[in-house]
Amino acid sequence: PPIVPLPPTHPNPFVGRLRIENGQFVDDTGSVLPVFCHAGDLLSLLLREPQRALRQMDLIAQAGFQGVRTWMQTGCGQNPCAPGDYWYGRVVGPTVTPEYWPLVDILIAELRSRSLRLMWSQGDFPQLGSTMIQRCDYARAVAHRYPGDDIAFFDAGNEMWHPSFRDWLYRAPENAAKFVRAYQNAGGRALLTLSSPPGEGKAELDAYSLDPADCFDVHSYRGDHWYDKTRHVHGVVYQEDGPQPMRRLGVNSEGPGGSSHVPSRVSNIQNSEELDDEAMGCLAAMSCIAQQAYVWFSGAGVINDAGLENEPGFWTVPKLIAQLPRNLMRPGGTLHHCGRTWHDRGVAVFWLPDAPTLVRCNGVMHADGQFAYVLDGPLGTHRLRVDRACDVTIIHPGTGEAHPFTLTAGQTWDVTWERGRVLLGRVR
């Protein structure tokens, strides 16, 4: 869409400190569903092209994101980057940028002026020093320098497990926990995560969720088709006959994303061309249903040379999340699918006895009858059977268009989509 004048205020800002109370993300207004924009190289962009970085922050606020996830160090560890290295020409960090802390001061101030919060990620953690003492000193410096509410989340490292780092000193989750504890003990107020594990299993998530982590961190599945990606987000916390991850709430900090200009920026994402506005909306809604703060991801969110505003889901994802019930992540909900198991238990609102195998309806049902589902699968018209009388609103996740229905038990309901639909309602 064309750039329009900025609104006088952010349309959906956090008020006060983002925190966890009663099993939900909350701010001073009550329950919230956090939605962040992945702007991985924003600090680097601010150093090299400050006016373009400021304009990107304007657009992020205008779109309705509540903050940004940014790598606060980019580069090649403690060694200088050479021509041909991934971050050559875009390096920033405490050991390579002489005015590093004044630059971070500017970033924090500019985000604050737009009512945006920072998800502070250690993108190139070897820059923080060669010993744990040096690295913990950095964490303490962050806490002392930014004691307010500007930082919403603070992690120990971005994919710190990855073999390319070859950093035995830091890759252990215990050392990651020591790092964020140093930040916390120095007065840091942000919610804490350690790092995303290599997979999505409970054992992996728990290993990277040691105290004092508040949430698990996951980089959700990027393979197969759009509906496989969405179902994996649900599967992170859905355990039909087993325990959930030990941290109830999570952060989907780097999931699948599309790229409008350089597909190689998301080269490890299969079928990235499928990730249009509609598919990205399904991913965002499922993250909220599955108790995970959502970070919208894209090719420009890795290296911003074409503008975040041109990537799929940038304008639509925050508006979709704003349509969801703010207390959607509250405890007591039953995560389930609309297969025979939950049909027989009398939990599922819908059943798909005649739909193709690839069609799914996954979601959550609360004790008061409030439910939320993501319905997805191959393009076409698919028939649902209504198992429980309900009032339901069906939402197009790419446009936000919503239509209410009153359905009776036993009737059938035909729904057409390209990627999927979001269903919100209450049983009667």
Side-chain angles (χ1 to χ4, degrees):
I3 295 175
V4 298
L6 295 177
T9 59
H10 187 293
N12 187 31
F14 290 131
V15 179
R17 179 178 172 233
L18 179 66
R19 54 199 185 270
I20 296 174
E21 292 179 0
N22 301 318
Q24 304 175 75
F25 292 110
V26 303
D27 67 2
D28 289 353
T29 67
S31 304
V32 293
L33 301 176
V35 54
F36 282 69
C37 173
H38 201 283
D41 68 341
L42 183 60
L43 186 63
S44 175
L45 189 68
L46 184 64
L47 176 64
R48 287 163 180 80
E49 299 181 66
Q51 292 306 311
R52 197 160 75 84
L54 297 178
R55 182 57 180 166
Q56 289 292 281
M57 287 186 245
D58 287 341
L59 295 173
I60 290 168
Q62 181 184 346
F65 292 99
Q66 295 159 321
V68 298
R69 180 180 189 254
T70 298
W71 297 312
M72 301 303 286
Q73 317 84 23
T74 58
C76 306
Q78 295 176 330
N79 301 313
C81 282
D85 289 335
Y86 191 83
W87 288 109
Y88 181 75
R90 297 183 175 92
V91 174
V92 68
T95 60
V96 295
T97 306
E99 297 299 316
Y100 176 75
W101 290 111
L103 179 67
V104 177
D105 290 346
I106 294 171
L107 176 69
I108 295 288
E110 294 293 347
L111 291 173
R112 184 191 305 130
S113 72
R114 294 162 175 81
S115 299
L116 294 170
R117 304 294 174 87
L118 178 62
M119 188 178 287
W120 185 304
S121 179
Q122 322 310 324
D124 184 23
F125 51 78
Q127 284 197 43
L128 308 185
S130 58
T131 69
M132 281 306 301
I133 291 175
Q134 292 172 317
R135 293 173 180 185
C136 289
D137 283 345
Y138 175 90
R140 285 186 280 268
V142 176
H144 292 153
R145 195 166 189 116
Y146 311 109
D149 300 329
D150 298 300
I151 306 172
F153 291 90
F154 183 81
D155 78 14
N158 180 66
E159 297 183 354
M160 53 178 283
W161 58 270
H162 201 282
S164 64
F165 288 117
R166 292 183 175 85
D167 189 339
W168 62 269
L169 177 71
Y170 194 61
R171 282 170 58 193
E174 292 79 8
N175 282 336
K178 184 183 296 185
F179 177 84
V180 297
R181 184 175 287 110
Y183 166 82
Q184 182 185 61
N185 290 344
R189 291 163 54 86
L191 293 172
L192 304 177
T193 62
L194 300 190
S195 185
S196 62
E200 301 172 341
K202 171 179 163 54
E204 293 173 293
L205 292 168
D206 289 354
Y208 282 85
S209 300
L210 303 177
D211 288 337
D214 295 294
C215 314
F216 65 81
D217 187 339
V218 64
H219 289 182
S220 62
Y221 184 65
R222 302 180 185 183
D224 297 315
H225 294 287
W226 75 92
Y227 44 84
D228 300 297
K229 297 173 175 67
T230 302
R231 293 164 197 174
H232 268 263
V233 175
H234 184 262
V236 168
V237 294
Y238 169 71
Q239 299 290 340
E240 185 170 326
D241 298 309
Q244 291 187 350
M246 68 179 184
R247 302 298 175 201
R248 182 178 179 277
L249 297 178
V251 182
N252 190 353
S253 67
E254 197 175 306
S259 181
S260 62
H261 62 298
V262 184
S264 63
R265 293 279 160 73
V266 288
S267 59
N268 56 342
I269 297 179
Q270 289 181 288
N271 302 306
S272 64
E273 73 283 354
E274 297 175 349
L275 296 179
D276 54 15
D277 288 347
E278 191 172 333
M280 293 302 293
C282 289
L283 284 163
M286 184 57 78
S287 289
C288 294
I289 289 170
Q291 301 154 197
Q292 298 160 55
Y294 185 65
V295 181
W296 169 84
F297 188 56
S298 69
V302 179
I303 293 178
N304 189 343
D305 51 8
L308 296 162
E309 69 275 15
N310 299 311
E311 300 286 53
F314 177 83
W315 295 103
T316 55
V317 159
K319 293 176 176 60
L320 174 67
I321 290 182
Q323 291 177 267
L324 306 179
R326 285 171 52 127
N327 64 352
L328 187 57
M329 295 188 194
R330 69 189 187 276
T334 301
L335 290 159
H336 64 285
H337 56 78
C338 291
R340 175 168 288 279
T341 300
W342 295 102
H343 158 75
D344 291 343
R345 294 181 187 177
V347 174
V349 179
F350 306 101
W351 194 29
L352 306 168
D354 303 319
T357 304
L358 292 176
V359 175
R360 292 288 188 277
C361 186
N362 296 328
V364 64
M365 170 66 71
H366 286 280
D368 62 359
Q370 184 187 56
F371 61 82
Y373 292 108
V374 172
L375 180 63
D376 64 14
L379 178 151
T381 299
H382 304 288
R383 176 159 293 179
L384 288 72
R385 195 180 79 184
V386 181
D387 268 12
R388 305 177 68 182
C390 63
D391 298 309
V392 59
T393 297
I394 184 168
I395 302 174
H396 188 302
T399 67
E401 183 180 359
H403 297 282
F405 290 86
T406 296
L407 304 175
T408 59
Q411 78 172 89
T412 58
W413 191 30
D414 290 342
V415 182
T416 302
W417 66 79
E418 183 174 358
R419 308 295 187 197
R421 291 292 183 268
V422 177
L423 306 179
L424 305 175
R426 190 178 298 274
V427 296
R428 289 187 281 114

